[in-house]
Amino acid sequence: MRHPINNNNMIRVIVFLLFAAMANCNVLEDRFEDWVGEFKMRFESDNHRENVFRNWVSNDEYITQVNARNLSYTLGHNHLSGMNDEEYRSYLGYSNLNAYVNKHDGSKFREAKCLYGCVKDYDSERKLDTLTCVKGCLSEDQVVSLDVPESINWVQKGAVTPVKDQGQCGSCWSFSTTGALEGAYYIKNGKLVAFSEQELVDCDNLKNGGRDHGCNGGLMDNAFSWIEKNGVCVLKKLILISLEPLVLLEHVKRLANPWRVRKWRVLRM
């Protein structure tokens, strides 16, 4: 059942809202005048003053909204509060920015801005999205398409040495190291060379400044770092027993210029 609307109540509500709006307007006017006095603002005309007032109210609303969020900082008014974005850019001398960009190969500026937008919030968990974004910033002639095969048999290409046997020596870490380096050496130089696991087993240890433990285990990362400093020998004959370095030289041949790792890193797919 509908209740009849009381016209007197409706009029009271409207009048109340009008007075509230007027009171708020008066408060804004008073605060605006305080701002004008504080920063000694001068107006060229009534229209100029009205425009500054509108900008000031808009900025005041923004300040109120931000401060209501209880952030680690608060905003306030300054001598620029009577400007909108366009006027502020003009005040700083940016009014002709678009013309400058177009005059000085604007495509480069736009491309740089686009690329920055792709990487500014980079997330390692969304690499593919980042790459897609970057590709979208580039023109077609800048994107190189490569026909990548679904698989590569490096054995058939001659980049893998014959199977080796570590015996009862817990040195799988040394075989992982040499296997990776042998493939890298082949790709770089077009020649397949077998490197010495035995050298790593005997020399890459705490006593010699390494971090691995011979037949008692180790890490290929440590071995890469050791080779980076000391170089690596070419395998002459595979004998996996933990020998002293002087005896070791009977079984491996050191290059005139030992092959070294210059730089390496672990790729996490």
Side-chain angles (χ1 to χ4, degrees):
M1 179 177 178
R2 293 184 178 181
H3 298 282
I5 298 176
N6 188 314
N7 290 334
N8 290 332
N9 290 338
M10 180 65 70
I11 292 173
R12 292 191 186 97
V13 170
I14 294 175
V15 171
F16 173 80
L17 293 176
L18 286 174
F19 273 110
M22 292 174 62
N24 183 60
C25 185
N26 289 335
V27 171
L28 286 175
E29 282 279 3
D30 291 341
R31 292 179 55 227
F32 175 71
E33 290 298 334
D34 291 339
W35 172 79
V36 169
E38 179 180 357
F39 292 100
K40 299 179 173 56
M41 306 302 297
R42 298 290 182 268
F43 305 109
E44 299 174 358
S45 64
D46 291 341
N47 288 336
H48 181 211
R49 183 187 185 283
E50 184 63 28
N51 180 67
V52 171
F53 177 69
R54 283 196 301 269
N55 293 337
W56 185 91
V57 171
S58 176
N59 289 325
D60 186 72
E61 291 175 352
Y62 175 76
I63 290 171
T64 301
Q65 292 171 3
V66 171
N67 291 343
R69 294 163 59 187
N70 295 319
L71 302 175
S72 60
Y73 61 89
T74 57
L75 302 182
H77 285 283
N78 60 17
H79 62 293
L80 304 175
S81 297
M83 299 180 183
N84 58 28
D85 290 344
E86 183 177 349
E87 292 167 344
Y88 177 68
R89 287 195 296 270
S90 178
Y91 175 80
L92 295 179
Y94 296 160
S95 57
N96 295 321
L97 179 60
N98 291 333
Y100 177 84
V101 168
N102 293 329
K103 179 181 179 181
H104 295 83
D105 193 358
S107 61
K108 292 184 178 180
F109 285 89
R110 286 186 287 272
E111 180 181 296
K113 182 179 179 181
C114 181
L115 292 172
Y116 173 73
C118 294
V119 301
K120 67 176 182 178
D121 297 319
Y122 175 73
D123 183 354
S124 60
E125 301 297 325
R126 303 182 61 186
K127 295 178 181 178
L128 190 58
D129 292 340
T130 301
L131 289 175
T132 302
C133 178
V134 168
K135 182 179 178 181
C137 296
L138 305 176
S139 58
E140 292 184 3
D141 60 330
Q142 292 176 296
V143 179
V144 178
S145 297
L146 300 177
D147 294 326
V148 180
E150 293 184 1
S151 63
I152 298 177
N153 189 326
W154 289 109
V155 175
Q156 292 179 353
K157 288 182 174 293
V160 181
T161 56
V163 176
K164 304 172 185 177
D165 183 5
Q166 72 184 66
Q168 292 182 307
C169 177
S171 56
C172 59
W173 58 274
S174 66
F175 287 85
S176 299
T177 302
T178 57
L181 297 182
E182 288 161 357
Y185 187 90
Y186 175 85
I187 293 173
K188 172 70 175 178
N189 300 289
K191 181 180 178 181
L192 185 60
V193 174
F195 293 121
S196 173
E197 295 82 10
Q198 185 70 61
E199 178 184 16
L200 297 176
V201 169
D202 285 323
C203 300
D204 176 17
N205 51 44
L206 297 177
K207 182 172 62 175
N208 295 314
R211 300 178 62 187
D212 292 308
H213 307 281
C215 288
N216 295 315
L219 290 174
M220 67 187 84
D221 298 26
N222 297 338
F224 288 146
S225 296
W226 192 87
I227 295 172
E228 189 174 8
K229 297 177 181 178
N230 300 282
V232 64
C233 292
V234 175
L235 177 66
K236 184 178 180 182
K237 185 178 180 181
L238 181 61
I239 300 178
L240 267 179
I241 53 177
S242 188
L243 304 174
E244 289 299 319
L246 291 178
V247 182
L248 168 68
L249 295 178
E250 296 178 6
H251 304 284
V252 297
K253 178 183 178 183
R254 181 168 290 279
L255 297 172
N257 296 306
W259 193 76
R260 298 175 184 272
V261 175
R262 291 185 178 178
K263 187 177 182 181
W264 65 273
R265 66 185 177 120
V266 177
L267 298 179
R268 292 180 171 82
M269 306 302 290

